[in-house]
Amino acid sequence: MGPQQSVADPQTANTPRRSGIGVRPTTPADTAEICDLLEHCFVRSGIPADGWRPLCTTNWLADNPTRGFVLTDGGRIVGYLATIYSQREINGKTGIVCDYSSYCVAPAYRGRGLARTLVAASVRDERITYISHGPVPPTQRALEAFGFAILDRSMLLFPPGLNAETLWRSRVHIDVNEQTVRASLGQAERRIYDDHAPYDCLHMTASDAGGTAYLVVKRRRRRVPWWTSIPFSQILYCSAPDVLARNLERIKLAIMRQQKTCGIAMHERFFPKVPRAIRRKEIAQYRSPVFTPNELDLLYSEFVLLDM
């Protein structure tokens, strides 16, 4: 498929055609049109069209069913749902996980329940674990209809100094050297390292008398009304949350120093006991025949692929 006219053009996206609306898996030929749709539907994200391309090109699963589904009207793409598949081994259990990203329906097609149509096309395999981070209310209702439960209700934010009491609990050694961190990992975590190395993630280990934690962290931006954005670091994965909790302030400061951010963020389900934090409402939903909520992390997700 050659270059397409922008879906945000008022003569296209805002004028539905009379032909029937269909849904189908994406193909490589859809990439440019999908990226154009996403750029205009998520203007406030600041992500240009090319910044959405990893959703259409990244492949973490050898037998990837599809990279997403599109709504079409007369051959024109008017909606999209990205599906990011990976094979996970967690706590001795193995299963395929599908992370949803970038629900998008062109303005003229909203309010018709088309989010449900996209979800219905994507959840047919009962063996797969599905995760959706930050769905808007209409999408939340669509997911609930297909058996999704709440995975998270809030994100925990940790500014510097908030957990200063942990500075005296134990002594911790922190390693951020790429070569030594990778060399210290076992086979399963080395695969995680290699799969995420191309995506500008921070990989580090933190060791104290009680054990060693391997962490994968992504630098993100949080937009606020009075400023363009505030950079923060989101922990995507932590192999030993107890080590993190005991040494939270030192690990936090090390991450902030490496990524030049103003604090760290982490989902509540990662901690066995939630430390002092600032809560920000952020819904996540899931459906899984294999994994429990505390076993599901943010690896192999939109947080890795997109500059959010």
Side-chain angles (χ1 to χ4, degrees), residues 37-289:
L37 174 70
L38 293 171
E39 180 183 26
H40 290 93
C41 284
F42 296 102
V43 173
R44 295 174 66 181
S45 74
I47 302 175
D50 281 349
W52 297 100
R53 188 170 291 271
L55 293 176
C56 303
T57 57
T58 300
N59 186 15
W60 278 314
L61 185 65
D63 298 322
N64 199 341
T66 177
R67 291 187 175 90
F69 293 84
V70 289
L71 288 167
T72 60
D73 186 1
R76 179 180 47 144
I77 294 175
V78 298
Y80 174 62
L81 168 60
T83 54
I84 307 166
Y85 289 91
S86 61
Q87 178 84 29
R88 300 300 308 275
E89 297 178 18
I90 305 171
N91 292 338
K93 297 182 285 187
T94 301
I96 294 175
V97 175
C98 174
D99 184 88
Y100 287 157
S101 175
S102 309
Y103 298 91
C104 183
V105 177
Y109 294 82
R110 294 171 188 168
R112 306 186 191 182
L114 294 176
R116 184 184 176 100
T117 302
L118 282 169
V119 173
S122 67
V123 295
R124 294 172 179 169
D125 194 331
E126 297 287 340
R127 300 167 296 176
I128 292 177
T129 294
Y130 298 95
I131 305 174
S132 176
H133 297 281
V136 296
T139 306
Q140 291 176 28
R141 292 191 290 271
L143 293 171
E144 288 172 3
F146 288 96
F148 280 62
I150 295 294
L151 181 60
D152 272 309
R153 295 188 183 275
S154 60
M155 175 81 76
L156 303 180
L157 305 176
F158 301 93
L162 186 63
N163 312 98
E165 72 279 2
T166 64
L167 290 172
W168 297 277
R169 287 183 184 171
S170 64
R171 300 184 63 179
V172 62
H173 172 72
I174 297 171
D175 187 1
V176 296
N177 180 278
E178 294 180 358
Q179 293 182 343
T180 55
V181 168
R182 186 181 185 279
S184 70
L185 301 176
Q187 182 177 356
E189 290 184 336
R190 192 171 295 184
R191 175 174 167 252
I192 290 173
Y193 184 105
D194 292 340
D195 285 344
H196 291 76
Y199 298 101
D200 195 28
C201 294
L202 170 66
H203 300 262
M204 63 187 297
T205 55
S207 304
D208 66 8
T212 298
Y214 166 50
L215 296 93
V216 183
V217 189
K218 183 76 172 183
R219 189 181 193 271
R220 295 185 58 197
R221 298 167 293 146
R222 182 186 180 191
R223 287 171 174 77
V224 294
W226 60 88
W227 196 252
T228 303
S229 64
I230 294 177
F232 69 97
S233 299
Q234 179 148 20
I235 296 179
L236 307 179
Y237 173 77
C238 178
S239 66
D242 58 323
V243 175
L244 173 61
R246 284 195 299 270
N247 305 280
L248 185 52
E249 192 67 25
R250 291 192 189 280
I251 294 173
K252 179 201 311 178
L253 294 174
I255 292 171
M256 292 168 56
R257 191 162 49 246
Q258 288 294 314
Q259 296 194 316
K260 296 180 173 58
T261 54
C262 298
I264 67 172
M266 195 169 179
H267 282 91
E268 181 176 346
R269 68 181 186 270
F270 287 10
F271 287 104
K273 182 180 179 181
V274 180
R276 186 185 300 114
I278 299 171
R279 293 177 182 271
R280 185 184 72 179
K281 184 178 179 181
E282 187 169 301
I283 297 294
Q285 293 169 276
Y286 83 112
R287 193 182 82 184
S288 178

